[in-house]
Amino acid sequence: MAFIPEYIFILFFIILIDYLLARVIENAKTKKAKRSYLILSIAANVGLLVFFKYFTFINENVISILKPAGVNFKMYHLNVVLPIGLSFHTFQSMSYIIEVYRGNQKAEKHLGYFANYVLFFPQMVAGPIEKYKNLGNELKNEVRPLYDNFSNGFRLILFGLFVKMVVADNIAPLVNTVYENPAAFHSAEVWLAVVLFSFQIYADFYGYSTIALGAARLLGIHLTDNFKTPYLAISINDFWKRWHISLTSWFREYLYIPLGGSRGSTAKWVITILIVFFVSGLWHGASWTFVVWGLLHGCFYLLERLFNKVFNFKPQTGVTLLNCFLGIKTFLVVSLIWIFFRAESFSKAELVISSLFNNWSFSFHGLHYLMPVAFAFILFISDAMLFRQRIDLWLDNRVEVWRWSFYSIVLFCIFCLAGVESLPFIYFQF
């Protein structure tokens, strides 16, 4: 509303449509009637996404398809701005209506509670995407000011600010400079920028999610963890169990399983996997670069499954030399695929990829690489330390002098070492 006040009516529309249709679905007598109302709800939610997020993308692709056939299709331009976080709260609202349709969730009769579920401010613009049975019930609980809620909430917010402002925002300028003109840099520098972008986007999104967890905890609300040390994953499958966990769960429950999941023939399963990753890429942005990013993850996921089946390979748990190798391999694959996520076009992505290999006459350009690399390394080490425990719970087990030393160091870094540019959260655009 601070940017475009009338956009609040988009949320009101989603809230009223899904609130009313959920109650109608619950009271419908036949399966056919329930399905019809569900389709109406999904059409309303997806229709909003298509209108605000994909209208121009669809228009451009229709023009490119019809042009070779001699059809002069005039593109209609819409002067609209994508509402912040539209993809998140439409997916959250759809999860509610689908659960009501399946009979797993009673339709909420109190409009205020349902509105608060869709509008809950800490997570509405960048997740995590919550089910109503989790967040809705939390919002109904009696909440009193508790020391644990405040201490853990502020710890999460403090650490989230550090990860975003100190790690992500110090890496961003270097990555942006290289991606603007990769041909002007040596291959080693381009490789460094590609690897650092992996840490930038992780720190950016993980930092926001941690702040959201903390802000909700101050109110006595427990949100779902959205990350679990994704760069310690040993496969693409493992990576997606750790990265943006709420979105992965959403696609699994509401797209992968309804399409058949692992049931049926191998060919059908392969197509289902590719459809899920295609939609995941498109969800992230109205561009074919995002689609390719998603499909590449799908292809590597399938290749790993094929390799494991042919060679009867079963990764072992724990810290082993093999798992270290698999972890490095997975990180490199994910980092290279991120190129299509970060690049503004295929031509830019192609230029970045070619610059990775065609100029190895390396010369050191200065100490401006030192701080981004140091903070990326700190993030990696902190992830390794927090492999089994979240930062607030980890601090709970430390003695008081260690806790306050940690707070002091983090506060010093935020005030003195934070990035000088004011950079928005990357996932706000989705």
Side-chain angles (χ1 to χ4, degrees):
M1 285 187 71
F3 295 106
I4 307 175
E6 55 268 28
Y7 271 16
I8 194 64
F9 293 106
I10 298 169
L11 281 174
F12 288 166
F13 173 77
I14 292 172
I15 290 166
L16 286 173
I17 285 289
D18 289 342
Y19 168 77
L20 294 172
L21 287 178
R23 298 191 64 177
V24 171
I25 288 171
E26 189 174 59
N27 296 323
K29 302 299 183 184
T30 65
K31 190 76 173 178
K32 184 178 179 181
K34 290 176 183 286
R35 189 181 298 112
S36 299
Y37 293 125
L38 173 67
I39 292 171
L40 181 60
S41 169
I42 292 174
N45 283 274
V46 174
L48 276 175
L49 270 179
V50 170
F51 180 78
F52 283 99
K53 191 170 183 177
Y54 301 106
F55 185 86
T56 301
F57 175 70
I58 293 171
N59 257 349
E60 289 173 350
N61 282 277
V62 168
I63 291 171
S64 64
I65 292 170
L66 295 179
K67 194 172 182 179
V71 179
N72 187 17
F73 179 77
K74 187 176 180 181
M75 180 176 174
Y76 182 77
H77 292 277
L78 282 176
N79 187 25
V80 295
V81 179
L82 177 65
I84 294 175
L86 183 63
S87 299
F88 284 93
H89 44 253
T90 51
F91 267 40
Q92 181 156 301
S93 196
M94 279 195 288
S95 75
Y96 163 77
I97 201 83
I98 293 170
E99 290 299 313
V100 172
Y101 168 78
R102 291 176 174 177
N104 300 329
Q105 172 68 53
K106 290 286 187 183
E108 177 55 61
K109 294 178 172 57
H110 194 296
L111 179 59
Y113 279 122
F114 180 67
N116 202 13
Y117 162 72
V118 179
L119 286 165
F120 189 55
F121 76 91
Q123 47 83 234
M124 68 171 288
V125 291
I129 302 168
E130 295 282 357
K131 284 187 174 181
Y132 193 79
K133 69 178 181 181
N134 298 328
L135 179 56
N137 290 333
E138 285 265 334
L139 293 170
K140 292 182 178 180
N141 292 336
E142 182 181 356
V143 178
R144 295 182 179 182
L146 297 175
Y147 173 79
D148 282 348
N149 286 339
F150 284 108
S151 62
N152 288 319
F154 281 122
R155 286 170 186 167
L156 289 166
I157 292 172
L158 184 66
F159 186 66
L161 289 172
F162 168 79
V163 172
K164 161 60 179 168
M165 297 173 65
V166 180
V167 180
D169 289 359
N170 272 300
I171 294 174
L174 189 149
V175 172
N176 293 342
T177 301
V178 173
Y179 267 85
E180 283 172 8
N181 187 16
F185 294 86
H186 300 285
S187 293
E189 294 170 306
V190 181
W191 272 103
L192 181 61
V194 167
V195 169
L196 284 176
F197 178 71
S198 296
F199 286 100
Q200 180 201 345
I201 192 168
Y202 174 44
D204 195 280
F205 196 12
Y206 174 46
Y208 174 85
S209 297
T210 306
I211 294 169
L213 290 174
R217 186 65 186 271
L218 293 179
L219 303 173
I221 305 297
H222 297 77
L223 296 179
T224 304
D225 286 329
N226 220 9
F227 293 93
K228 189 179 179 182
T229 60
Y231 290 148
L232 297 181
I234 59 174
S235 67
I236 295 297
N237 181 34
D238 191 24
F239 173 79
W240 281 104
K241 289 178 180 178
R242 300 163 177 269
W243 176 274
H244 204 172
I245 297 169
S246 62
L247 182 67
T248 303
S249 300
W250 198 99
F251 278 121
R252 177 177 176 78
E253 291 188 40
Y254 304 124
L255 187 60
Y256 174 74
I257 293 175
L259 287 175
S262 57
R263 302 186 303 273
S265 65
T266 301
K268 183 183 177 184
W269 173 75
V270 168
I271 292 171
T272 299
I273 290 292
L274 292 177
I275 289 173
V276 171
F277 278 101
F278 172 89
V279 175
S280 174
L282 195 60
W283 178 90
H284 281 84
S287 169
W288 287 111
T289 54
F290 288 107
V291 172
V292 168
W293 169 79
L295 287 175
L296 284 172
H297 272 280
C299 290
F300 276 99
Y301 173 87
L302 293 171
L303 286 172
E304 286 179 351
R305 292 291 294 268
L306 177 63
F307 177 87
N308 294 345
K309 185 175 182 180
V310 170
F311 294 97
N312 195 26
F313 177 72
K314 295 180 179 179
Q316 302 297 313
T317 57
V319 180
T320 64
L321 188 62
L322 176 60
N323 282 349
C324 289
F325 170 77
L326 293 174
I328 293 170
K329 177 268 298 181
T330 302
F331 176 74
L332 287 175
V333 169
V334 170
S335 295
L336 290 171
I337 297 175
W338 277 127
I339 292 172
F340 291 93
F341 190 99
R342 174 59 180 80
E344 298 169 358
S345 63
F346 284 118
S347 59
K348 271 291 181 69
E350 183 183 356
L351 189 58
V352 171
I353 294 170
S354 63
S355 298
L356 290 171
F357 305 100
N358 62 9
N359 186 4
W360 283 101
S361 57
F362 180 70
S363 62
F364 191 64
H365 278 191
L367 295 176
H368 59 281
Y369 294 109
L370 187 60
M371 186 174 287
V373 171
F375 286 127
F377 180 73
I378 290 171
L379 179 62
F380 179 79
I381 295 300
S382 70
D383 256 16
M385 292 174 61
L386 301 172
F387 182 69
R388 299 185 184 279
Q389 224 173 18
R390 205 170 62 186
I391 184 66
D392 56 327
L393 303 176
W394 182 83
L395 286 167
D396 257 341
N397 297 323
R398 308 276 83 78
V399 295
E400 189 173 3
V401 64
W402 282 108
R403 287 203 304 270
W404 283 99
S405 297
F406 174 84
Y407 304 150
S408 302
I409 292 169
V410 170
L411 279 170
F412 172 81
C413 290
I414 290 172
F415 283 112
C416 300
L417 300 176
V420 295
E421 295 182 40
S422 178
L423 299 169
F425 290 99
I426 294 174
Y427 265 71
F428 274 14
Q429 64 184 298
F430 308 133

